[in-house]
Amino acid sequence: MAPFKSISRKNKEIFGIMLLYSLFFVAQGFALSPNAQLFDGLHTIITSPAQLTVDYFALGGVGATFLNAGLVGFACMLVLWLSGMEMNSLSLMAFFLTVGFSFFGMNILNIWPCILGTWLFSKVDGTPFKSSVNIALFATSLSPFVSEGMFRHPAFESLPARAAFGIALGIIAGFLLPILCKHSPSLHKGYSLYNAAAVSGFIGILLLSFLYRATGFEIPSNTMIGESHYELMSFAAVLGLFLVLYAYFINNKSFDGFGALLEQTGYQCDYTAKFNVGLTALNIACVGLAATLYYVLIGANMTGPTMGCIVCLMAVAPCGAHALNIAPIMVGYMLSSTFAAFELTTPATIVGICFAAALSPISGRFGSLSGVIAGLLHACMVTTVVTFHNGFCLYNGGFTCAVTAIILVPILEHFFEASDTLRLIPKLKSKT
């Protein structure tokens, strides 16, 4: 842990982005709910089972949900600061994903055993925790197992035993993830920006099998989607505009260089290293505002998952995604709704489209038409993939991205040449 004065400028600017969102969410929590109701709602959130389909707006109230998200944001900042790492785009991705899922699945209680598991791995492995702290935050994708062990699974009845069981599940998940993440890029060849999601899904399948399928216990279903709070769309837009303003000031009071960022394919990118934090923040803001506008245009209900998805979509913006390589993915989703048995406003589709954006390197390197196909495939598979882990892995959309890339990328590589510039139509490989 270093004194704040000794922290690099880059880290200070990244912390500034995180602080903006964490403070805003905490302030919104207190503004939207009376204190008694606020803390009662937060207690309900942290002591309830948590799965992908649990809307915290409905479970604990809007104010308590925002407070939970803000507290989780501060927790992420604390873990990153204590690790002493020099932060990068992955740190921003880990922050936005963790905070985004704090609207439906994560809470200020169930994230800690997963982080502890990765910390223990670093001790066993003899490596500094700062080398795996980003993965520690990604490990929270499996935090619903912590809540499941503590508050619902029938294996134990006493509170101490339940607490120990839930903590153990989180530690196992956090310990395994950094080991498996080393092999994840070989699965999707870098064409899914959610690298940790490719393996967290498999850990989710493993843990679900031991908890329920192999032991014969009935698998619970937690589907809770509340009413729409449409006025919160304006909150998301205002917060995005504040981030634009922040980006303007730390980029020497200009947006110079943003055009060059929009020319990137999105493949193996770290925008904080290739450009700077200011332009990265501007890209994050633009992606968040685009997601908000999209939800307004399709008439999506503003539930906890919808708000969380706007934040989660921003997670891929530091690592390669931008408006031009995300757009084809969204078009693919729109096309799928014309023949599939779901609509764009179906909750699963609202959630899925935000995580499909992680496939943006496909549209960047193999052409926009390839991105349309990737989005279409993701839309058709995302509700099937979730049955493998029953919503206990929050990165279901990212896991589906890995499955999509595993199927699609070898086909694209066989017939087409990967490009280093954005294009509409894939370039056929030469037969000579």
Side-chain angles (χ1 to χ4, degrees):
M1 180 177 66
F4 186 76
K5 289 183 179 180
S6 65
I7 296 175
S8 68
R9 176 181 174 178
K10 181 179 180 180
N11 271 12
K12 288 179 181 178
E13 290 175 345
I14 290 176
F15 274 130
I17 298 172
M18 297 177 179
L19 183 63
L20 173 65
Y21 276 80
S22 301
L23 279 176
F24 181 87
F25 288 149
V26 169
Q28 283 300 116
F30 281 98
L32 292 170
S33 296
N35 286 359
Q37 183 180 342
L38 183 69
F39 291 108
D40 285 346
L42 183 63
H43 179 267
T44 300
I45 287 172
I46 66 176
T47 58
S48 299
Q51 281 169 273
L52 185 61
T53 50
V54 176
D55 179 354
Y56 280 175
F57 283 176
L59 179 64
V62 176
T65 303
F66 273 102
L67 177 59
N68 179 62
L71 292 175
V72 169
F74 281 120
C76 292
M77 294 177 64
L78 178 65
V79 171
L80 289 165
W81 179 45
L82 291 176
S83 74
M85 78 168 296
E86 183 65 18
M87 292 190 289
N88 53 25
S89 290
L90 278 179
S91 307
L92 281 167
M93 174 185 278
F95 172 82
F96 278 108
L97 279 176
T98 308
V99 172
F101 277 112
S102 299
F103 288 87
F104 62 127
M106 292 185 199
N107 59 62
I108 193 58
L109 174 66
N110 67 12
I111 60 173
W112 294 109
C114 301
I115 295 171
L116 175 61
T118 304
W119 179 82
L120 288 174
F121 165 80
S122 70
K123 295 303 177 183
V124 172
D125 197 49
T127 55
F129 180 54
K130 65 181 180 182
S131 65
S132 54
V133 65
N134 290 333
I135 296 178
L137 297 185
F138 291 135
T140 60
S141 62
L142 295 159
S143 56
F145 283 107
V146 177
S147 297
E148 188 68 13
M150 286 184 171
F151 304 115
R152 183 167 59 184
H153 195 274
F156 301 98
E157 294 185 1
S158 69
L159 181 60
R162 284 179 174 272
F165 185 43
I167 292 170
L169 290 173
I171 290 174
I172 291 170
F175 192 93
L176 291 177
L177 195 65
I179 302 173
L180 271 64
C181 273
K182 295 178 181 178
H183 303 278
S184 180
S186 62
L187 293 175
H188 53 76
K189 297 187 175 182
Y191 285 96
S192 171
L193 298 180
Y194 292 137
N195 188 53
V199 291
S200 65
F202 289 117
I203 297 174
I205 294 170
L206 174 68
L207 293 179
L208 178 67
S209 298
F210 278 109
L211 285 179
Y212 288 106
R213 298 192 192 280
T215 54
F217 290 120
E218 182 180 354
I219 300 176
S221 176
N222 255 35
T223 300
M224 179 188 294
I225 302 295
E227 63 183 17
S228 177
H229 299 269
Y230 196 75
E231 69 280 2
L232 297 181
M233 289 287 189
S234 61
F235 292 167
V238 168
L239 185 52
L241 292 175
F242 270 115
L243 187 54
V244 169
L245 188 63
Y246 177 77
Y248 174 78
F249 278 103
I250 65 173
N251 193 50
N252 298 318
K253 296 183 179 180
S254 78
F255 297 136
D256 291 346
F258 190 57
L261 186 150
L262 293 176
E263 294 175 354
Q264 304 300 304
T265 64
Y267 182 71
Q268 295 182 344
C269 288
D270 179 345
Y271 288 153
T272 64
K274 190 164 188 175
F275 297 96
N276 57 44
V277 177
L279 292 177
T280 303
L282 178 59
N283 190 48
I284 294 171
C286 289
V287 168
L289 289 170
T292 305
L293 178 61
Y294 170 79
Y295 284 140
V296 170
L297 292 176
I298 68 170
N301 291 329
M302 178 52 88
T303 62
T306 308
M307 176 63 79
C309 281
I310 293 173
V311 179
C312 287
L313 178 56
M314 298 163 73
V316 292
C319 299
H322 53 70
L324 298 184
N325 60 13
I326 290 176
I329 310 292
M330 302 181 81
V331 171
Y333 254 76
M334 293 176 185
L335 288 177
S336 70
S337 68
T338 63
F339 66 85
F342 54 76
E343 299 177 353
L344 292 177
T345 54
T346 301
T349 310
I350 289 174
V351 173
I353 195 168
C354 280
F355 300 100
L359 294 167
S360 54
I362 291 180
S363 60
R365 296 203 86 198
F366 290 105
S368 297
L369 292 180
S370 299
V372 171
I373 295 171
L376 190 151
L377 292 177
H378 189 280
C380 293
M381 290 192 293
V382 70
T383 55
T384 300
V385 172
V386 72
T387 60
F388 296 152
H389 51 77
N390 211 54
F392 286 106
C393 172
L394 297 175
Y395 288 177
N396 179 66
F399 186 42
T400 309
C401 283
V403 175
T404 304
I406 290 169
I407 295 170
L408 185 58
V409 170
I411 298 172
L412 293 173
E413 288 183 334
H414 184 81
F415 291 104
F416 307 108
E417 291 184 5
S419 172
D420 291 328
T421 58
L422 295 176
R423 61 174 66 245
L424 175 62
I425 301 173
K427 181 180 179 181
L428 283 169
K429 274 188 174 180
S430 174
K431 295 183 179 179
T432 57

